[in-house]
Amino acid sequence: MTDETCRRREWAGWREAAERALYGPGGFYLRPEGPAAHFRTSVHASPLYAAAVARLLGEVAAELGTGEPAFVDVGAGRGELVTGVLAAAAGAGLRVRAYAVERAARPAGLDPRIVWTDRVPRGVRGLLFANEWLDNVPVDVAETDAAGVARYVEVAPDGTERPGAPVTGPDAEWLARWWPLREPGARAEIGRPRDRAWAEAVACLAAGRAVAVDYAHVRASRPPFGTLTGFREGREVPPVPDGSCDLTAHVALDACGAGAPEGPGGDGSDAGGARLPEPELVTQREALRRLGVFGARPPLTLASSDPAGYVRALAAAGEAAELTAPGGLGDFLWLIQRVPAAREG
């Protein structure tokens, strides 16, 4: 085999390259330090987040008429969110059947009540919650050439890119519907794998709610040059598919909510053919405020009557402000899909 042949074989589409770099042998998400060593999510920002999710789980349990709801944490990292939800839910008298869905190995010392699995459990009743999961479902990247043709972007292990074959078939149809590319140099991430992943996750839920939380965009405001980037040790870095950094791109959550063509019902319906209610798409700021998370400072009178309580309330207000801040975590989008119990059976 010649050196030139070896070099040619290094090139791959971004979906294949990212899958290998993130989840292949020695991949970024399989490393022992876990994602928290490289970037900070809402889960790591404050325990208020897990407490809010636990309140949402309580709402779902009440709707289902059960004191033993399931909580399915998809893209669980090292179990930080599901651990926090279990602790918060215990105070509400809920007996939670907890699942952590993650491709990495089970971390040492995790609460034994948590079922650690590499796939979403089927037939559960409760809350399925995917916090910053879909952005790490690998996707292909397309770029329009000088002639106006959308082409797949190929990448080498060192991050060097080159134009590949024209985008055709279902990928071209997805671009035309969800992310049209009209100018030379315009780029898009083709979200079909994420649409399918979300549809399959929702189909596993017998009844309750499914929520996806991510940095996202909608069709009316797609970024003209895409969003693919990398993160390493808390800093944004160029995306290089060599396993040394996270590879992430914002999610077209409106497309996910519409249901992938390859989804269980094929048209936004469930596996049994019954159409689900229309999903809701709201900012994290709005979603958390509904769950009682506000960034308001405590009254100054508390400082004199209960100084320690004032300090605690002030710290909580600061954490709540970070979770709901415009231009930051507050601008994340929540895709909320209700799954009625009537679809069971």
Side-chain angles (χ1 to χ4, degrees):
M1 184 181 297
T2 67
D3 290 344
E4 177 60 27
T5 301
C6 291
R7 283 194 293 271
R8 283 201 303 270
R9 290 191 175 182
E10 290 179 346
W11 294 95
W14 264 109
R15 182 183 179 192
E16 178 186 342
E19 177 69 28
R20 184 169 56 242
L22 295 178
Y23 304 111
F28 178 83
Y29 273 100
L30 305 184
R31 288 160 54 173
E33 72 269 21
H38 297 275
F39 54 85
R40 190 165 180 256
T41 71
S42 296
V43 177
H44 310 119
S46 171
L48 294 175
Y49 191 75
V53 175
R55 285 194 288 276
L56 180 58
L57 177 62
E59 290 180 8
V60 173
E63 291 170 359
L64 297 176
T66 180
E68 298 184 3
F71 178 69
V72 183
D73 182 7
V74 185
R78 296 302 179 266
E80 298 94 338
L81 177 59
V82 66
T83 298
V85 169
L86 275 177
L94 294 176
R95 297 181 60 186
V96 179
R97 293 185 295 119
Y99 301 84
V101 182
E102 181 56 65
R103 294 168 71 170
R106 182 187 184 99
L110 191 69
D111 191 315
R113 293 175 295 171
I114 299 170
V115 176
W116 192 266
T117 175
D118 63 356
R119 63 195 63 192
V120 178
R122 298 193 65 85
V124 297
R125 293 164 49 91
L127 175 62
L128 182 148
F129 203 88
N131 186 75
E132 295 195 43
W133 168 54
L134 288 172
D135 67 282
N136 289 123
V137 173
V139 292
D140 276 312
V141 176
E143 182 172 335
T144 307
D145 65 16
V149 177
R151 293 182 175 275
Y152 292 106
V153 176
E154 295 182 343
V155 62
D158 65 358
T160 303
E161 294 183 339
R162 72 179 185 185
V167 180
T168 59
D171 282 351
E173 294 169 7
W174 189 93
L175 285 176
R177 180 181 180 187
W178 293 110
W179 199 335
L181 297 177
R182 298 188 175 92
E183 302 294 333
R187 287 170 65 110
E189 291 96 33
I190 303 173
R192 287 179 56 244
R194 293 168 173 178
D195 297 350
R196 183 167 57 249
W198 180 242
E200 290 173 351
V202 172
C204 290
L205 194 60
R209 290 188 219 174
V211 179
V213 182
D214 243 306
Y215 31 33
H217 44 66
V218 296
R219 194 180 189 281
S221 57
R222 302 284 189 226
F225 304 111
T227 61
L228 179 67
T229 191
F231 281 93
R232 183 190 302 117
E233 297 177 353
R235 292 180 294 178
E236 188 170 8
V237 296
V240 177
D242 62 358
S244 68
C245 66
D246 183 27
L247 298 171
T248 178
H250 290 40
V251 183
L253 270 184
D254 50 345
C256 293
E262 301 89 341
D267 58 358
S269 63
D270 67 17
R275 180 167 290 279
L276 297 176
E278 286 295 316
E280 185 180 15
L281 198 59
V282 298
T283 64
Q284 174 157 297
R285 183 164 46 258
E286 172 62 22
L288 289 182
R289 284 175 178 171
R290 293 179 189 177
L291 295 168
V293 178
F294 299 91
R297 293 170 62 91
L300 284 174
T301 53
L302 185 63
S304 55
S305 62
D306 182 4
Y310 177 77
V311 171
R312 289 193 299 270
L314 191 62
E319 293 173 2
E322 181 181 2
L323 291 172
T324 59
L329 295 174
D331 289 345
F332 274 42
L333 292 182
W334 285 39
L335 175 63
I336 305 169
Q337 177 67 69
R338 292 177 180 267
V339 180
R343 90 177 198 156
E344 294 177 274

